[in-house]
Amino acid sequence: MVPSPKTVRKAVFPVGGLGTRFLPATKAQPKEMLPVVDKPLVHYAVEEARAAGIEQFIFVTGRGKAAIADHFDVSYELKHQLSTRSKEAEVIEDWLPDPGQVCFTRQQEPLGLGHAVWCARHLVGDEPFAVLLADDLMLGEPPCMRQMVDAYSRVGGNLVCVENVAPAFTSRYGILDVAGEDGRLVRARGIVEKPKPSRAPSTLGVVGRYILHPGIFNVLENVERGTGGEIQLTDGLLAMTGTVPFHGLRCDARRFDCGDKAGFVVANVAVALEREDIRDYVREQLEALIGAPRSTRKAAG
Ligand code: UTP
């Protein structure tokens, strides 16, 4: 069946970055495999994509990222050892994508997010596709990418997930130049990569979810290297402004910036407080830690 021009079937997961902000934890393991409670970040992202109707999961990896491919494969050793304990067997493979639904390509050199996305061009082909950055953990219902796909079916073009950022932090994000707003949807006339607060056209920062028009591949092929010698996705989006619709969507979801140590710790606490099996104990320990005078703080129990 030929997909409608606004059907999103494929998702790209750029996981080729070095994760330097998380060293030494990321020296020998991918940042995207860091667990929030008991699931790796990239696993949450794949679940979110699947809930949005995505059928093909494309990982753009790099050196030292083999654990990601193993995670989305059958583990014969574990399966063998757990075969009689069905609850754990469920945990290791009930969620596995079907054979052939997952594919991998290598970025070879971490030359930026735009470059990572461009590396997926042959696997995506000529159709719109989602991009999910696993280190932005998005918790919402319906899941964030589902909200994006629904909005995309109305607007097409390029759609980015946005949130209001503190004015002092505009220099950490791609910031939208807003042309108009319609509820959660924002029409953009441009985007600026990491502007100083005084130069930011708004405080709407792009976070790690995108649905992109396949025309972005040609554009990325030709954009100049930007900040830090990297090929920025923002530059590709800017170059396409005016050629296809460009919107931001304020998703109804809570974002945890797990590429940052503090954000990662907060994500673990937030998810733990939602888990029935551990939340009471975690809450009790947190209250003890926070409630105790600074000099006498120690784990309760
Ligand atoms: P980040 O900039 O947060 O990741 O990119 P990083 O470069 O790995 O982290 P630090 O700053 O050194 O700590 C967001 C996502 O894009 C991927 C990363 O793997 C991460 O999932 N990425 C980034 C690539 O796939 N390739 C790149 O060249 C850069």
mmCIF file with all atom_site columns, all heavy atoms in Angstrom, residues 164-184:
data_model
loop_
_atom_site.group_PDB
_atom_site.id
_atom_site.type_symbol
_atom_site.label_atom_id
_atom_site.label_alt_id
_atom_site.label_comp_id
_atom_site.label_asym_id
_atom_site.label_entity_id
_atom_site.label_seq_id
_atom_site.pdbx_PDB_ins_code
_atom_site.Cartn_x
_atom_site.Cartn_y
_atom_site.Cartn_z
_atom_site.occupancy
_atom_site.B_iso_or_equiv
_atom_site.pdbx_formal_charge
_atom_site.auth_seq_id
_atom_site.auth_comp_id
_atom_site.auth_asym_id
_atom_site.auth_atom_id
_atom_site.pdbx_PDB_model_num
ATOM 1   N N   . ASN A 1 164 ? 8.462  26.017 26.486 1.00 0.00 ? 164 ASN A N   1
ATOM 2   C CA  . ASN A 1 164 ? 8.951  27.316 26.953 1.00 0.00 ? 164 ASN A CA  1
ATOM 3   C C   . ASN A 1 164 ? 10.160 27.101 27.824 1.00 0.00 ? 164 ASN A C   1
ATOM 4   O O   . ASN A 1 164 ? 10.095 26.324 28.775 1.00 0.00 ? 164 ASN A O   1
ATOM 5   C CB  . ASN A 1 164 ? 7.856  27.983 27.790 1.00 0.00 ? 164 ASN A CB  1
ATOM 6   C CG  . ASN A 1 164 ? 7.269  29.135 27.033 1.00 0.00 ? 164 ASN A CG  1
ATOM 7   O OD1 . ASN A 1 164 ? 7.980  29.877 26.337 1.00 0.00 ? 164 ASN A OD1 1
ATOM 8   N ND2 . ASN A 1 164 ? 5.971  29.282 27.120 1.00 0.00 ? 164 ASN A ND2 1
ATOM 9   N N   . VAL A 1 165 ? 11.252 27.738 27.493 1.00 0.00 ? 165 VAL A N   1
ATOM 10  C CA  . VAL A 1 165 ? 12.453 27.588 28.319 1.00 0.00 ? 165 VAL A CA  1
ATOM 11  C C   . VAL A 1 165 ? 12.697 28.899 29.071 1.00 0.00 ? 165 VAL A C   1
ATOM 12  O O   . VAL A 1 165 ? 12.210 29.964 28.651 1.00 0.00 ? 165 VAL A O   1
ATOM 13  C CB  . VAL A 1 165 ? 13.692 27.206 27.460 1.00 0.00 ? 165 VAL A CB  1
ATOM 14  C CG1 . VAL A 1 165 ? 13.440 25.899 26.729 1.00 0.00 ? 165 VAL A CG1 1
ATOM 15  C CG2 . VAL A 1 165 ? 14.081 28.303 26.472 1.00 0.00 ? 165 VAL A CG2 1
ATOM 16  N N   . ALA A 1 166 ? 13.423 28.801 30.160 1.00 0.00 ? 166 ALA A N   1
ATOM 17  C CA  . ALA A 1 166 ? 13.735 30.016 30.913 1.00 0.00 ? 166 ALA A CA  1
ATOM 18  C C   . ALA A 1 166 ? 14.549 30.941 29.995 1.00 0.00 ? 166 ALA A C   1
ATOM 19  O O   . ALA A 1 166 ? 15.447 30.458 29.291 1.00 0.00 ? 166 ALA A O   1
ATOM 20  C CB  . ALA A 1 166 ? 14.540 29.656 32.150 1.00 0.00 ? 166 ALA A CB  1
ATOM 21  N N   . PRO A 1 167 ? 14.238 32.252 29.990 1.00 0.00 ? 167 PRO A N   1
ATOM 22  C CA  . PRO A 1 167 ? 14.967 33.165 29.091 1.00 0.00 ? 167 PRO A CA  1
ATOM 23  C C   . PRO A 1 167 ? 16.494 33.028 29.206 1.00 0.00 ? 167 PRO A C   1
ATOM 24  O O   . PRO A 1 167 ? 17.204 33.105 28.208 1.00 0.00 ? 167 PRO A O   1
ATOM 25  C CB  . PRO A 1 167 ? 14.492 34.552 29.539 1.00 0.00 ? 167 PRO A CB  1
ATOM 26  C CG  . PRO A 1 167 ? 13.138 34.307 30.148 1.00 0.00 ? 167 PRO A CG  1
ATOM 27  C CD  . PRO A 1 167 ? 13.183 32.929 30.763 1.00 0.00 ? 167 PRO A CD  1
ATOM 28  N N   . ALA A 1 168 ? 16.981 32.760 30.390 1.00 0.00 ? 168 ALA A N   1
ATOM 29  C CA  . ALA A 1 168 ? 18.441 32.658 30.569 1.00 0.00 ? 168 ALA A CA  1
ATOM 30  C C   . ALA A 1 168 ? 19.025 31.443 29.852 1.00 0.00 ? 168 ALA A C   1
ATOM 31  O O   . ALA A 1 168 ? 20.237 31.354 29.646 1.00 0.00 ? 168 ALA A O   1
ATOM 32  C CB  . ALA A 1 168 ? 18.760 32.585 32.059 1.00 0.00 ? 168 ALA A CB  1
ATOM 33  N N   . PHE A 1 169 ? 18.169 30.479 29.476 1.00 0.00 ? 169 PHE A N   1
ATOM 34  C CA  . PHE A 1 169 ? 18.678 29.218 28.907 1.00 0.00 ? 169 PHE A CA  1
ATOM 35  C C   . PHE A 1 169 ? 18.480 29.108 27.391 1.00 0.00 ? 169 PHE A C   1
ATOM 36  O O   . PHE A 1 169 ? 18.663 28.022 26.824 1.00 0.00 ? 169 PHE A O   1
ATOM 37  C CB  . PHE A 1 169 ? 17.989 28.018 29.572 1.00 0.00 ? 169 PHE A CB  1
ATOM 38  C CG  . PHE A 1 169 ? 18.369 27.824 31.009 1.00 0.00 ? 169 PHE A CG  1
ATOM 39  C CD1 . PHE A 1 169 ? 17.581 27.040 31.850 1.00 0.00 ? 169 PHE A CD1 1
ATOM 40  C CD2 . PHE A 1 169 ? 19.516 28.410 31.535 1.00 0.00 ? 169 PHE A CD2 1
ATOM 41  C CE1 . PHE A 1 169 ? 17.932 26.859 33.183 1.00 0.00 ? 169 PHE A CE1 1
ATOM 42  C CE2 . PHE A 1 169 ? 19.873 28.233 32.869 1.00 0.00 ? 169 PHE A CE2 1
ATOM 43  C CZ  . PHE A 1 169 ? 19.080 27.459 33.699 1.00 0.00 ? 169 PHE A CZ  1
ATOM 44  N N   . THR A 1 170 ? 18.117 30.216 26.725 1.00 0.00 ? 170 THR A N   1
ATOM 45  C CA  . THR A 1 170 ? 17.887 30.104 25.269 1.00 0.00 ? 170 THR A CA  1
ATOM 46  C C   . THR A 1 170 ? 19.138 29.616 24.550 1.00 0.00 ? 170 THR A C   1
ATOM 47  O O   . THR A 1 170 ? 19.050 28.966 23.510 1.00 0.00 ? 170 THR A O   1
ATOM 48  C CB  . THR A 1 170 ? 17.449 31.457 24.663 1.00 0.00 ? 170 THR A CB  1
ATOM 49  O OG1 . THR A 1 170 ? 18.446 32.430 24.982 1.00 0.00 ? 170 THR A OG1 1
ATOM 50  C CG2 . THR A 1 170 ? 16.085 31.890 25.180 1.00 0.00 ? 170 THR A CG2 1
ATOM 51  N N   . SER A 1 171 ? 20.311 29.882 25.111 1.00 0.00 ? 171 SER A N   1
ATOM 52  C CA  . SER A 1 171 ? 21.551 29.513 24.429 1.00 0.00 ? 171 SER A CA  1
ATOM 53  C C   . SER A 1 171 ? 21.829 28.008 24.489 1.00 0.00 ? 171 SER A C   1
ATOM 54  O O   . SER A 1 171 ? 22.866 27.538 24.028 1.00 0.00 ? 171 SER A O   1
ATOM 55  C CB  . SER A 1 171 ? 22.726 30.278 25.029 1.00 0.00 ? 171 SER A CB  1
ATOM 56  O OG  . SER A 1 171 ? 22.772 30.009 26.393 1.00 0.00 ? 171 SER A OG  1
ATOM 57  N N   . ARG A 1 172 ? 20.896 27.244 25.052 1.00 0.00 ? 172 ARG A N   1
ATOM 58  C CA  . ARG A 1 172 ? 21.053 25.778 25.055 1.00 0.00 ? 172 ARG A CA  1
ATOM 59  C C   . ARG A 1 172 ? 20.160 25.101 24.010 1.00 0.00 ? 172 ARG A C   1
ATOM 60  O O   . ARG A 1 172 ? 20.199 23.879 23.873 1.00 0.00 ? 172 ARG A O   1
ATOM 61  C CB  . ARG A 1 172 ? 20.651 25.210 26.415 1.00 0.00 ? 172 ARG A CB  1
ATOM 62  C CG  . ARG A 1 172 ? 21.489 25.716 27.545 1.00 0.00 ? 172 ARG A CG  1
ATOM 63  C CD  . ARG A 1 172 ? 21.042 25.035 28.830 1.00 0.00 ? 172 ARG A CD  1
ATOM 64  N NE  . ARG A 1 172 ? 21.747 25.598 29.967 1.00 0.00 ? 172 ARG A NE  1
ATOM 65  C CZ  . ARG A 1 172 ? 21.537 25.227 31.216 1.00 0.00 ? 172 ARG A CZ  1
ATOM 66  N NH1 . ARG A 1 172 ? 20.642 24.282 31.484 1.00 0.00 ? 172 ARG A NH1 1
ATOM 67  N NH2 . ARG A 1 172 ? 22.214 25.776 32.186 1.00 0.00 ? 172 ARG A NH2 1
ATOM 68  N N   . TYR A 1 173 ? 19.318 25.884 23.334 1.00 0.00 ? 173 TYR A N   1
ATOM 69  C CA  . TYR A 1 173 ? 18.291 25.283 22.466 1.00 0.00 ? 173 TYR A CA  1
ATOM 70  C C   . TYR A 1 173 ? 18.257 25.936 21.091 1.00 0.00 ? 173 TYR A C   1
ATOM 71  O O   . TYR A 1 173 ? 18.714 27.071 20.921 1.00 0.00 ? 173 TYR A O   1
ATOM 72  C CB  . TYR A 1 173 ? 16.893 25.492 23.092 1.00 0.00 ? 173 TYR A CB  1
ATOM 73  C CG  . TYR A 1 173 ? 16.709 24.818 24.420 1.00 0.00 ? 173 TYR A CG  1
ATOM 74  C CD1 . TYR A 1 173 ? 17.098 25.453 25.600 1.00 0.00 ? 173 TYR A CD1 1
ATOM 75  C CD2 . TYR A 1 173 ? 16.157 23.545 24.509 1.00 0.00 ? 173 TYR A CD2 1
ATOM 76  C CE1 . TYR A 1 173 ? 16.929 24.832 26.837 1.00 0.00 ? 173 TYR A CE1 1
ATOM 77  C CE2 . TYR A 1 173 ? 15.979 22.917 25.733 1.00 0.00 ? 173 TYR A CE2 1
ATOM 78  C CZ  . TYR A 1 173 ? 16.363 23.562 26.890 1.00 0.00 ? 173 TYR A CZ  1
ATOM 79  O OH  . TYR A 1 173 ? 16.202 22.950 28.106 1.00 0.00 ? 173 TYR A OH  1
ATOM 80  N N   . GLY A 1 174 ? 17.615 25.237 20.133 1.00 0.00 ? 174 GLY A N   1
ATOM 81  C CA  . GLY A 1 174 ? 17.167 25.900 18.917 1.00 0.00 ? 174 GLY A CA  1
ATOM 82  C C   . GLY A 1 174 ? 15.896 26.648 19.303 1.00 0.00 ? 174 GLY A C   1
ATOM 83  O O   . GLY A 1 174 ? 15.011 26.081 19.944 1.00 0.00 ? 174 GLY A O   1
ATOM 84  N N   . ILE A 1 175 ? 15.824 27.932 18.963 1.00 0.00 ? 175 ILE A N   1
ATOM 85  C CA  . ILE A 1 175 ? 14.677 28.751 19.405 1.00 0.00 ? 175 ILE A CA  1
ATOM 86  C C   . ILE A 1 175 ? 13.844 29.169 18.195 1.00 0.00 ? 175 ILE A C   1
ATOM 87  O O   . ILE A 1 175 ? 14.383 29.661 17.190 1.00 0.00 ? 175 ILE A O   1
ATOM 88  C CB  . ILE A 1 175 ? 15.181 29.999 20.174 1.00 0.00 ? 175 ILE A CB  1
ATOM 89  C CG1 . ILE A 1 175 ? 15.994 29.582 21.416 1.00 0.00 ? 175 ILE A CG1 1
ATOM 90  C CG2 . ILE A 1 175 ? 14.015 30.918 20.547 1.00 0.00 ? 175 ILE A CG2 1
ATOM 91  C CD1 . ILE A 1 175 ? 15.202 28.989 22.565 1.00 0.00 ? 175 ILE A CD1 1
ATOM 92  N N   . LEU A 1 176 ? 12.526 28.970 18.298 1.00 0.00 ? 176 LEU A N   1
ATOM 93  C CA  . LEU A 1 176 ? 11.640 29.283 17.167 1.00 0.00 ? 176 LEU A CA  1
ATOM 94  C C   . LEU A 1 176 ? 11.388 30.774 17.043 1.00 0.00 ? 176 LEU A C   1
ATOM 95  O O   . LEU A 1 176 ? 11.221 31.470 18.043 1.00 0.00 ? 176 LEU A O   1
ATOM 96  C CB  . LEU A 1 176 ? 10.274 28.606 17.339 1.00 0.00 ? 176 LEU A CB  1
ATOM 97  C CG  . LEU A 1 176 ? 10.145 27.118 17.058 1.00 0.00 ? 176 LEU A CG  1
ATOM 98  C CD1 . LEU A 1 176 ? 8.671  26.748 16.889 1.00 0.00 ? 176 LEU A CD1 1
ATOM 99  C CD2 . LEU A 1 176 ? 10.933 26.691 15.837 1.00 0.00 ? 176 LEU A CD2 1
ATOM 100 N N   . ASP A 1 177 ? 11.340 31.205 15.792 1.00 0.00 ? 177 ASP A N   1
ATOM 101 C CA  . ASP A 1 177 ? 10.861 32.541 15.470 1.00 0.00 ? 177 ASP A CA  1
ATOM 102 C C   . ASP A 1 177 ? 9.384  32.345 15.115 1.00 0.00 ? 177 ASP A C   1
ATOM 103 O O   . ASP A 1 177 ? 9.048  31.699 14.124 1.00 0.00 ? 177 ASP A O   1
ATOM 104 C CB  . ASP A 1 177 ? 11.663 33.079 14.269 1.00 0.00 ? 177 ASP A CB  1
ATOM 105 C CG  . ASP A 1 177 ? 11.348 34.536 13.999 1.00 0.00 ? 177 ASP A CG  1
ATOM 106 O OD1 . ASP A 1 177 ? 10.458 35.083 14.677 1.00 0.00 ? 177 ASP A OD1 1
ATOM 107 O OD2 . ASP A 1 177 ? 11.986 35.101 13.093 1.00 0.00 ? 177 ASP A OD2 1
ATOM 108 N N   . VAL A 1 178 ? 8.512  32.864 15.967 1.00 0.00 ? 178 VAL A N   1
ATOM 109 C CA  . VAL A 1 178 ? 7.085  32.516 15.897 1.00 0.00 ? 178 VAL A CA  1
ATOM 110 C C   . VAL A 1 178 ? 6.326  33.470 14.983 1.00 0.00 ? 178 VAL A C   1
ATOM 111 O O   . VAL A 1 178 ? 6.417  34.688 15.113 1.00 0.00 ? 178 VAL A O   1
ATOM 112 C CB  . VAL A 1 178 ? 6.483  32.562 17.320 1.00 0.00 ? 178 VAL A CB  1
ATOM 113 C CG1 . VAL A 1 178 ? 4.983  32.293 17.295 1.00 0.00 ? 178 VAL A CG1 1
ATOM 114 C CG2 . VAL A 1 178 ? 7.188  31.549 18.215 1.00 0.00 ? 178 VAL A CG2 1
ATOM 115 N N   . ALA A 1 179 ? 5.536  32.866 14.060 1.00 0.00 ? 179 ALA A N   1
ATOM 116 C CA  . ALA A 1 179 ? 4.718  33.698 13.173 1.00 0.00 ? 179 ALA A CA  1
ATOM 117 C C   . ALA A 1 179 ? 3.267  33.742 13.649 1.00 0.00 ? 179 ALA A C   1
ATOM 118 O O   . ALA A 1 179 ? 2.543  34.699 13.377 1.00 0.00 ? 179 ALA A O   1
ATOM 119 C CB  . ALA A 1 179 ? 4.777  33.148 11.745 1.00 0.00 ? 179 ALA A CB  1
ATOM 120 N N   . GLY A 1 180 ? 2.818  32.710 14.366 1.00 0.00 ? 180 GLY A N   1
ATOM 121 C CA  . GLY A 1 180 ? 1.432  32.687 14.839 1.00 0.00 ? 180 GLY A CA  1
ATOM 122 C C   . GLY A 1 180 ? 1.199  31.459 15.693 1.00 0.00 ? 180 GLY A C   1
ATOM 123 O O   . GLY A 1 180 ? 1.977  30.505 15.643 1.00 0.00 ? 180 GLY A O   1
ATOM 124 N N   . GLU A 1 181 ? 0.129  31.501 16.500 1.00 0.00 ? 181 GLU A N   1
ATOM 125 C CA  . GLU A 1 181 ? -0.155 30.379 17.394 1.00 0.00 ? 181 GLU A CA  1
ATOM 126 C C   . GLU A 1 181 ? -1.601 29.971 17.285 1.00 0.00 ? 181 GLU A C   1
ATOM 127 O O   . GLU A 1 181 ? -2.471 30.801 17.088 1.00 0.00 ? 181 GLU A O   1
ATOM 128 C CB  . GLU A 1 181 ? 0.145  30.776 18.849 1.00 0.00 ? 181 GLU A CB  1
ATOM 129 C CG  . GLU A 1 181 ? 1.553  31.295 19.026 1.00 0.00 ? 181 GLU A CG  1
ATOM 130 C CD  . GLU A 1 181 ? 2.076  31.146 20.441 1.00 0.00 ? 181 GLU A CD  1
ATOM 131 O OE1 . GLU A 1 181 ? 1.531  30.343 21.204 1.00 0.00 ? 181 GLU A OE1 1
ATOM 132 O OE2 . GLU A 1 181 ? 3.059  31.850 20.757 1.00 0.00 ? 181 GLU A OE2 1
ATOM 133 N N   . ASP A 1 182 ? -1.842 28.661 17.395 1.00 0.00 ? 182 ASP A N   1
ATOM 134 C CA  . ASP A 1 182 ? -3.200 28.145 17.371 1.00 0.00 ? 182 ASP A CA  1
ATOM 135 C C   . ASP A 1 182 ? -3.250 27.026 18.422 1.00 0.00 ? 182 ASP A C   1
ATOM 136 O O   . ASP A 1 182 ? -2.916 25.883 18.132 1.00 0.00 ? 182 ASP A O   1
ATOM 137 C CB  . ASP A 1 182 ? -3.502 27.610 15.953 1.00 0.00 ? 182 ASP A CB  1
ATOM 138 C CG  . ASP A 1 182 ? -4.855 26.936 15.884 1.00 0.00 ? 182 ASP A CG  1
ATOM 139 O OD1 . ASP A 1 182 ? -5.641 27.078 16.842 1.00 0.00 ? 182 ASP A OD1 1
ATOM 140 O OD2 . ASP A 1 182 ? -5.120 26.258 14.866 1.00 0.00 ? 182 ASP A OD2 1
ATOM 141 N N   . GLY A 1 183 ? -3.605 27.395 19.644 1.00 0.00 ? 183 GLY A N   1
ATOM 142 C CA  . GLY A 1 183 ? -3.581 26.428 20.740 1.00 0.00 ? 183 GLY A CA  1
ATOM 143 C C   . GLY A 1 183 ? -2.162 25.948 20.979 1.00 0.00 ? 183 GLY A C   1
ATOM 144 O O   . GLY A 1 183 ? -1.239 26.752 21.137 1.00 0.00 ? 183 GLY A O   1
ATOM 145 N N   . ARG A 1 184 ? -1.972 24.632 20.936 1.00 0.00 ? 184 ARG A N   1
ATOM 146 C CA  . ARG A 1 184 ? -0.633 24.076 21.192 1.00 0.00 ? 184 ARG A CA  1
ATOM 147 C C   . ARG A 1 184 ? 0.287  24.167 19.974 1.00 0.00 ? 184 ARG A C   1
ATOM 148 O O   . ARG A 1 184 ? 1.483  23.913 20.061 1.00 0.00 ? 184 ARG A O   1
ATOM 149 C CB  . ARG A 1 184 ? -0.758 22.604 21.598 1.00 0.00 ? 184 ARG A CB  1
ATOM 150 C CG  . ARG A 1 184 ? -1.381 22.422 22.956 1.00 0.00 ? 184 ARG A CG  1
ATOM 151 C CD  . ARG A 1 184 ? -1.306 20.992 23.429 1.00 0.00 ? 184 ARG A CD  1
ATOM 152 N NE  . ARG A 1 184 ? -1.762 20.900 24.799 1.00 0.00 ? 184 ARG A NE  1
ATOM 153 C CZ  . ARG A 1 184 ? -1.003 21.146 25.869 1.00 0.00 ? 184 ARG A CZ  1
ATOM 154 N NH1 . ARG A 1 184 ? 0.263  21.470 25.720 1.00 0.00 ? 184 ARG A NH1 1
ATOM 155 N NH2 . ARG A 1 184 ? -1.503 21.042 27.082 1.00 0.00 ? 184 ARG A NH2 1
#
